[in-house]
Amino acid sequence: MAHPYYGLNELREMFLSYFESKGHLRLPSFSLIPPANDKSLLLINSGMAPMKTWFTREEEPPRDRVTTCQKCIRTGDIENIGKTDRHGTYFEMLGNFSFGDYFKKEAIPFCWEFLTKVVGLEEDRLYPSIYLDDDEAFEIWNKDIGIPAERIFRFGKADNFWEHGAGPCGPCSEVYYDRGAEHGCGKPDCTVGCDCDRYIEVWNNVFSQFNNDGQDNYTELKQKNIDTGMGLERLACVVQNVNSLFDVDTVMNVTHKVSEITGAHYGESHKTDVSLRVITDHIRSSVMMICDGILPSNEGRGYVLRRLLRRAARHGKLLGVNRPFLHEVVDTVVRENECAYPDLREKQAYITKVIRTEEENFAKTIDGGMKIYNELLSAHKEKGETVFSGADAFKLYDTYGFPIDLTAEMVDEAGMQVDRAGFDQLMEEQRVRARKAREALGDLGWAGIEFGSDMPATEFVGYDRTEAQGKILAIVADEELRDEVSAGAEAILVLDQTPFYAEMGGQVADHGVITAGEARFEVSNVQKNKGGKFMHYGKVISGQFQVGASVSAAIDVDRRKAIMRAHSATHLLDAALKKVLGDHVHQAGSLVEPDRLRFDFTHFEGITPQQMGEIDRLVNDAVLEGYTVVTEVLPIEEAKKKGAIAMFGEKYGETVRVVEMGDSSMEFCGGTHVENTAKIGPFRIRSEGSVASGVRRIEATVGRVSLDVMNRNQELLFHAAQMLKTTPGELVGKVEQQVAELKATRLALEKFKAEASLGEARQFLMSAKDVCGLKVLTAHRDGMDANSLRQMGDFLRDKEPTVVAVLSSVNDGKITFLAVCGKDAVSKGIKAGELVKNVCAICGGKGGGKPDSAMGGGSDLLKLDDALASVDDFVAEKLK
């Protein structure tokens, strides 16, 4: 190898330092989670992806020259992972970027200088490529750098035009490294661009000139940009002269750890190598994803993570590991990468916990379903079929939780294929059934009643008003549309405008009354259908209501205030959870009731008492600060730029309502809130615990409910103090005194009982029989526990060296026997273990122990006397 050897971590630092010397701002890697305004990507898959708005100048970059090493995930070729040298889901992309500053004339020389002068790659092994008609790039390579024309390759759009989803794109110029004929395919026309492994691309200069709207419509960017990408692992392959990215130093160290756990070693067989590579690649990806706040789930990027972990776990099983083990590799991944990503070490315990939990959950899934899978597979093979039915694949998914790609992979290994179209059809049918079920509940005013599209949506005026005039648009009673309803009828009233809040976003509906003269309708629930009609459920208390009539609608103001207190508290709680536990926390559900709240959130481990105390303190501090609660309706993009947090999983329109509470919280929310956080009152956490894998729940109270609880506790405190004839302030001391006195009394009682038992034991000795020079005795006392029997037995054994005693007691219909032998009795051959065994056998039980003390039991109460009577004969027989 003519060029120097550098480790992967060294190469990363060399690149970033080089471009810093060229006036670039070094930035840390962005999160693998794309910016909130980028809906085109599930995960960051290139160095420039997090910077799209800087390229388009929608946002100003911190400097016109930037350099990064970006964490990336790509799973498009996941089925090839481990089978080829090139494919991996996780990689790092080195990049230097120019936002309207320098262009081709500077970017190409930077590239050449770094590869040849800094890294030391041989110039005669490097070959540039350019886009077909990019003559400017050709001139720079040929005239400025001095590369002969025959060594510069022109390729079409598929190879030399870079784009990835919507966003900035453009022609590119790549640099290939010739690894030598030994890596080639042997064909006489093998050259740059061949699919073999001889010529490997190490650098890609993207001349970002266009913007793709995602529909292949290109517009010229106002500024010309440079987006350079170079795979760090790929560069390391070349520099370290190894065959694949899996052989690079830091990656191979992870594989060594996997080998240590599995006992499988690289190079033993192709099948083993594939499994080792899959596990190595997937655990690297998973650690990085979890560190950035992604959690396993059944959708989106969470599903990508779950899929990676489950594929890795299954390949562990293929290597003979039938226990959770991936979490044991986390420390190695952290150690190899923490120099660039120090937050890995900070979050290591959390990452390990998430992976172990997912492994344990999957172990239950796969163990339960593998037997069924094997039975289904065998049935297909017995019929001579080569296709695994979509119905069977759907059964494994629906009943046993097998992801379809896992089933497909296992079926492929068995030499068959899954009927994917059949599976997809059954999945779609399930979605349709679920959608119809939702529609039956959400689009109808009452079961079987539709209001029709010609009826206008209800206008909600309840943010600012607690009473409003309205007109009745529709009435439903007894599952039918009605023109009018009278006293006693349960019904639904639909109004053209209302101050009543319909149940949404976890906030319960308002209660109150609707009146028309003397007619009164009490509202007990309000729902909003997809057509925007507010359906007021309740009962006519007096009078009549007719369609078209004008009514007055008034909410229960005290109840609304209590609901607002609780809802505002959930926002403060959400902010506190993120601050104490981390940004991975997302709301997973909530229930807001009068002065009570329930808040579900994503978090994979228990919350410590210290963390719980800090969460409680942060919420109450925000209450005491008395932040003004500001609400405003903004265009969604403006709200996001402002920093407002969207509720996880919620869908929003073009405009959103933003609720801001000082510097504590700013969220999208359509609910009702207090005007000032001080009105929330005391916040008290009642309980915290797990409700599902990776989801925890906090229940809390605010306002009057918190005050009522505090008052009740104070009453109990005064009552307890009164009973103990002390004051609340001295209650703890008084209780401690009472506990100490009670303990002393209990000890005295135990001592008295022990002395009474020992007095009994002395009487037993006085009545003992003499059998061949030994004092033999038996005694029975009901209700004695095993400990009391031992105390009595120990006294007899220690008091009289010649004693042989069997004591018994009955508790709950069960006999307990204790046998003891003094040291002289033992020396003569009488052993307590043998004696108690003989006695217990008579009562249908078992026993045993040491020569001087042994215990046992029996169940035949009718044989108890016979068992005790056998002791004399047992001793006499032994001493013959």
Side-chain angles (χ1 to χ4, degrees):
M1 184 169 64
H3 52 261
Y5 177 97
Y6 295 109
L8 180 138
N9 288 323
E10 288 180 279
L11 288 169
R12 184 195 298 110
E13 182 56 36
M14 288 162 64
F15 179 89
L16 295 172
S17 295
Y18 171 78
F19 279 100
E20 277 188 308
S21 73
K22 302 297 182 183
H24 291 64
L25 172 67
R26 181 197 296 211
L27 293 177
S29 173
F30 294 86
S31 169
L32 283 165
I33 300 174
N37 59 357
D38 187 354
K39 302 301 181 185
S40 67
L41 293 175
L42 197 60
L43 291 158
I44 291 298
N45 56 14
S46 68
M48 63 77 63
M51 308 181 196
K52 288 180 182 177
T53 55
W54 295 351
F55 281 98
T56 59
R57 285 291 179 175
E58 293 173 54
E59 293 181 339
E60 282 297 309
R63 193 181 297 174
D64 287 340
R65 296 186 179 195
V66 167
T67 184
T68 65
C69 181
Q70 176 63 45
K71 299 173 289 187
C72 299
I73 298 283
R74 292 183 191 172
T75 58
D77 294 319
I78 194 170
E79 66 278 356
N80 289 320
I81 304 298
K83 298 177 183 178
T84 72
D85 291 344
R86 302 178 183 181
H87 289 94
T89 59
Y90 171 76
F91 60 95
E92 295 178 68
M93 187 62 76
L94 298 167
N96 59 284
F97 308 95
S98 166
F99 308 109
D101 185 358
Y102 62 85
F103 203 49
K104 297 177 185 179
K105 272 201 168 291
E106 294 82 8
I108 291 173
F110 284 158
C111 155
W112 188 253
E113 182 179 28
F114 179 77
L115 290 175
T116 60
K117 304 302 182 188
V118 179
V119 178
L121 296 181
E122 308 91 317
E123 293 186 13
D124 60 351
R125 287 195 169 198
L126 295 171
Y127 297 81
S129 72
I130 59 173
Y131 187 51
L132 275 176
D133 57 2
D134 193 349
D135 294 331
E136 183 185 2
F138 177 86
E139 290 294 320
I140 297 170
W141 279 116
N142 183 237
K143 298 288 195 297
D144 297 356
I145 305 298
I147 306 295
E150 65 272 14
R151 290 170 56 86
I152 303 171
F153 292 78
R154 292 180 185 263
F155 294 132
K157 188 173 181 180
D159 294 302
N160 274 53
F161 192 95
W162 196 96
E163 58 187 342
H164 219 88
C169 57
C172 57
S173 175
E174 300 177 329
V175 180
Y176 291 82
Y177 180 82
D178 180 3
R179 302 171 71 197
E182 66 274 16
H183 292 279
C185 57
K187 296 177 182 177
D189 59 346
C190 179
T191 186
V192 174
C194 182
D195 288 336
C196 71
D197 293 330
R198 175 171 178 174
Y199 298 93
I200 183 171
E201 175 216 323
V202 292
W203 194 294
N204 189 4
N205 291 287
V206 178
F207 308 127
S208 185
Q209 301 169 239
F210 307 106
N211 187 63
N212 182 353
D213 66 356
Q215 305 296 323
D216 288 339
N217 297 312
Y218 300 93
T219 54
E220 190 86 23
L221 291 172
K222 294 178 182 177
Q223 62 182 31
K224 292 182 177 180
N225 308 302
I226 289 295
D227 161 22
T228 290
M230 177 165 62
L232 177 57
E233 292 87 351
R234 187 172 289 191
L235 177 65
C237 282
V238 169
V239 172
Q240 296 177 16
N241 197 31
V242 294
N243 290 328
S244 77
L245 67 91
F246 297 98
D247 300 301
V248 170
D249 59 337
T250 57
V251 184
M252 183 51 72
N253 287 338
V254 177
T255 303
H256 288 328
K257 181 62 179 180
V258 177
S259 294
E260 177 188 316
I261 295 169
T262 63
H265 296 280
Y266 215 50
E268 291 176 342
S269 71
H270 176 69
K271 186 176 180 181
T272 296
D273 286 355
V274 168
S275 290
L276 286 172
R277 286 177 168 189
V278 168
I279 295 167
T280 298
D281 172 82
H282 289 8
I283 191 64
R284 292 175 75 228
S285 296
S286 299
V287 167
M288 295 298 179
M289 291 171 74
I290 296 167
C291 186
D292 281 351
I294 299 168
L295 292 172
S297 70
N298 285 328
E299 59 184 12
R301 60 183 69 94
Y303 180 70
V304 174
L305 174 58
R306 172 160 286 169
R307 186 181 181 194
L308 291 171
L309 286 171
R310 291 187 169 189
R311 288 187 91 242
R314 196 180 76 83
H315 277 276
K317 280 185 172 288
L318 294 178
L319 295 178
V321 183
N322 292 307
R323 61 174 177 80
F325 75 97
L326 294 173
H327 64 279
E328 297 174 23
V329 191
V330 172
D331 183 65
T332 305
V333 178
V334 171
R335 187 177 66 247
E336 295 299 322
N337 293 278
E338 64 181 321
C339 62
Y341 310 110
D343 53 338
L344 287 170
R345 184 65 71 184
E346 295 169 15
K347 299 177 182 177
Q348 181 178 344
Y350 172 72
I351 296 168
T352 304
K353 173 71 174 176
V354 171
I355 291 177
R356 175 151 197 168
T357 301
E358 183 65 15
E359 282 188 280
E360 290 170 348
N361 291 341
F362 182 53
K364 297 171 189 173
T365 296
I366 200 166
D367 289 345
M370 277 306 292
K371 181 182 177 184
I372 306 300
Y373 164 75
N374 289 324
E375 290 174 357
L376 294 171
L377 185 69
S378 297
H380 284 295
K381 287 191 170 183
E382 285 172 9
K383 296 175 185 175
E385 296 171 345
T386 58
V387 176
F388 192 89
S389 76
D392 286 345
F394 183 76
K395 179 180 180 181
L396 287 168
Y397 167 81
D398 199 40
T399 308
Y400 299 99
F402 271 43
I404 180 60
D405 53 294
L406 176 61
T407 301
E409 193 170 311
M410 293 191 298
V411 167
D412 180 63
E413 290 169 1
M416 297 176 66
Q417 286 184 320
V418 168
D419 175 11
R420 190 62 181 261
F423 173 84
D424 291 342
Q425 182 180 343
L426 289 167
M427 281 293 292
E428 181 58 29
E429 289 174 4
Q430 186 184 66
R431 291 190 190 102
V432 170
R433 287 194 299 271
R435 187 164 58 245
K436 285 183 176 178
R438 289 194 299 271
E439 288 172 354
L441 293 173
D443 281 342
L444 303 180
W446 194 285
I449 302 299
E450 235 178 300
F451 295 121
S453 58
D454 56 337
M455 183 186 295
T458 305
E459 180 187 359
F460 176 64
V461 296
Y463 288 132
D464 307 310
R465 295 153 64 183
T466 59
E467 293 186 32
Q469 300 300 308
K471 185 171 74 172
I472 298 178
L473 299 180
I475 298 173
V476 178
D478 296 327
E479 303 183 18
E480 293 181 355
L481 284 170
R482 297 290 186 87
D483 291 328
E484 65 178 34
V485 283
S486 302
E490 292 187 350
I492 297 173
L493 303 187
V494 180
L495 308 184
D496 63 343
Q497 72 170 17
T498 182
F500 283 83
Y501 185 86
E503 183 177 356
M504 282 180 289
Q507 179 175 326
V508 296
D510 284 327
H511 291 179
V513 296
I514 296 173
T515 58
E518 296 300 317
R520 180 181 177 88
F521 181 86
E522 291 189 351
V523 179
S524 57
N525 191 11
V526 185
Q527 297 291 323
K528 177 184 176 184
N529 74 357
K530 289 184 179 178
K533 286 85 171 175
F534 279 49
M535 301 174 292
H536 302 75
Y537 292 73
K539 187 174 183 178
V540 181
I541 303 303
S542 61
Q544 288 183 329
F545 289 88
Q546 295 89 23
V547 172
S550 294
V551 294
S552 176
I555 65 170
D556 180 336
V557 176
D558 287 341
R559 188 173 188 277
R560 163 73 78 84
K561 287 180 178 178
I563 292 170
M564 292 194 300
R565 289 193 288 264
H567 200 158
S568 297
T570 64
H571 284 222
L572 298 179
L573 174 59
D574 187 28
L577 288 167
K578 284 181 169 65
K579 190 167 185 178
V580 175
L581 304 180
D583 289 336
H584 64 274
V585 169
H586 291 292
Q587 180 177 328
S590 68
L591 176 63
V592 178
E593 299 178 303
D595 281 338
R596 297 178 188 273
L597 63 97
R598 187 180 73 208
F599 193 80
D600 295 347
F601 56 97
T602 55
H603 189 58
F604 255 84
E605 58 187 346
I607 301 177
T608 66
Q610 292 78 12
Q611 289 173 325
M612 192 62 67
E614 180 66 5
I615 292 164
D616 185 278
R617 185 188 67 78
L618 285 172
V619 175
N620 280 301
D621 281 355
V623 172
L624 292 172
E625 282 292 334
Y627 292 124
T628 298
V629 178
V630 178
T631 60
E632 56 183 336
V633 177
L634 298 170
I636 190 166
E637 293 305 321
E638 184 179 337
K640 288 177 179 177
K641 287 179 182 178
K642 191 174 181 180
I645 297 172
M647 289 296 98
F648 192 66
E650 288 290 324
K651 293 182 180 179
Y652 299 96
E654 293 181 4
T655 60
V656 292
R657 187 166 179 267
V658 176
V659 178
E660 185 174 359
M661 302 177 186
D663 59 4
S664 181
S665 169
M666 181 163 49
E667 296 184 7
F668 294 10
C669 184
T672 60
H673 291 274
V674 295
E675 306 91 43
N676 188 292
T677 59
K679 291 189 175 183
I680 292 171
F683 172 84
R684 293 288 179 267
I685 295 175
R686 295 179 57 200
S687 65
E688 186 279 331
S690 174
V691 291
S693 177
V695 179
R696 304 193 72 81
R697 171 176 294 170
I698 282 178
E699 295 190 20
T701 61
V702 295
R704 295 191 184 280
V705 171
S706 286
L707 290 171
D708 289 345
V709 171
M710 293 163 63
N711 289 336
R712 282 198 301 273
N713 289 342
Q714 190 171 30
E715 288 174 7
L716 290 171
L717 187 67
F718 276 104
H719 185 59
Q722 191 176 35
M723 290 180 66
L724 293 174
K725 295 182 171 56
T726 186
T727 64
E730 297 174 348
L731 183 60
V732 173
K734 188 70 173 180
V735 170
E736 288 175 345
Q737 178 188 340
Q738 294 278 345
V739 169
E741 290 176 0
L742 186 60
K743 184 177 179 180
T745 302
R746 189 179 295 113
L747 289 172
L749 181 60
E750 292 296 330
K751 183 178 180 182
F752 174 78
K753 287 169 65 178
E755 288 175 350
S757 295
L758 297 182
E760 247 186 329
R762 291 187 182 93
Q763 291 181 341
F764 292 159
L765 278 175
M766 293 175 62
S767 60
K769 296 179 182 178
D770 186 296
V771 179
C772 303
L774 297 179
K775 291 187 176 181
V776 180
L777 64 93
T778 61
H780 176 79
R781 289 292 181 270
D782 281 328
M784 291 186 72
D785 58 24
N787 189 51
S788 298
L789 286 175
R790 283 196 196 94
Q791 285 184 342
M792 187 178 287
D794 290 346
F795 174 81
L796 292 170
R797 181 195 60 203
D798 298 339
K799 184 74 173 176
E800 178 52 62
T802 63
V803 74
V804 176
V806 175
L807 308 176
S808 67
S809 184
V810 174
N811 290 285
D812 298 325
K814 301 290 183 181
I815 309 168
T816 301
F817 289 107
L818 172 76
V820 293
C821 296
K823 61 180 181 179
D824 290 352
V826 173
S827 66
K828 288 188 176 184
I830 308 300
K831 297 179 180 178
E834 294 179 1
L835 175 57
V836 82
K837 185 178 181 181
N838 181 75
V839 170
C840 290
I842 295 172
C843 291
K846 295 180 180 179
K850 298 177 182 179
D852 64 342
S853 181
M855 294 195 78
S859 57
D860 193 342
L861 298 177
L862 297 176
K863 297 290 184 65
L864 177 57
D865 290 340
D866 294 342
L868 295 176
S870 71
V871 175
D872 291 355
D873 294 338
F874 177 89
V875 175
E877 187 67 25
K878 283 285 186 180
L879 295 177
K880 277 185 180 179

